[in-house]
Amino acid sequence: GVVPVMMFMVDYVGHAAGHDSGLGGVAWVAYGVGAMLGPVLYGLASDRWGARSAIRAALALQVLAVLAFSLDHQPASLIALAVALGSFPVGVVPLALNRVHELVPDAHARQAMWSRATVSFALAQAVGGYLYSAVYALSGGQHQLSFWIAAVALVVANAELRFLWLALATAVLVAVVVLARRQMQQER
């Protein structure tokens, strides 16, 4: 769910939302500010409410932020949302680490699980990058479609964290259906 914003933010703000490249650059800086704040804020939330609850809250906030980002073109809103969206990719690290500590009491097993989680997260981002690029290309450069797919993926992930791959598969299925419908409409 975090990949399309990372990939397309500057272009979306600078062109698709009707602004210039300068505002796109400001949005990217705001995203970086969010990246600095995210680990601290989400770590504190995890310590206070537990990792599982904090992860669910963070995912829900990300869904709202992604949808708002795709719909609101006001410069101040886009910048504020860029901060919120930037907080998640690195803010998820303390959440995931605390969740691993909650689930796995043995230090050696915890290290192995953390290694697998890190590889899975990196792989999901890499695969997501290719898939979202394909969606962007097939949709004729429609950023919103990628953002909406990301929101669906986050909703599914929040429904049950163990089914993260199901979230990705759902996002791909939604993209295929939307693109197929668009292709059929263009052929008419």
Side-chain angles (χ1 to χ4, degrees), residues 40-54 95 98 102:
V40 175
L41 296 176
Y42 295 147
L44 292 171
S46 180
D47 290 341
R48 181 169 180 119
W49 297 297
R52 184 178 177 95
S53 295
L95 294 176
N98 283 350
E102 288 176 356

Side-chain angles (χ1 to χ4, degrees), residues 86-167:
S87 72
F88 191 67
V90 293
V92 75
V93 173
L95 294 176
L97 187 56
N98 283 350
R99 186 66 177 146
V100 168
H101 276 271
E102 288 176 356
L103 294 173
V104 184
D106 178 62
H108 181 58
R110 216 175 20 245
Q111 182 179 0
M113 181 177 263
W114 181 248
S115 295
R116 286 192 298 273
T118 301
V119 170
S120 297
F121 186 66
L123 181 61
Q125 286 187 0
V127 170
Y130 284 108
L131 292 175
Y132 284 115
S133 292
V135 167
Y136 180 77
L138 292 171
S139 70
Q142 296 298 315
H143 296 91
Q144 283 90 352
L145 180 59
S146 293
F147 298 150
W148 296 339
I149 292 169
V152 168
L154 289 165
V155 166
V156 173
N158 203 7
E160 185 53 57
L161 296 172
R162 289 178 293 192
F163 296 111
L164 212 42
W165 288 109
L166 178 60

Side-chain angles (χ1 to χ4, degrees), residues 45-89:
S46 180
D47 290 341
R48 181 169 180 119
W49 297 297
R52 184 178 177 95
S53 295
I55 289 170
R56 289 189 179 278
L59 286 171
L61 289 172
Q62 286 298 302
V63 169
L64 296 175
V66 168
L67 291 174
F69 190 76
S70 72
L71 299 172
D72 191 343
H73 294 163
Q74 297 302 313
S77 298
L78 291 170
I79 300 307
L81 289 165
V83 172
L85 292 164
S87 72
F88 191 67

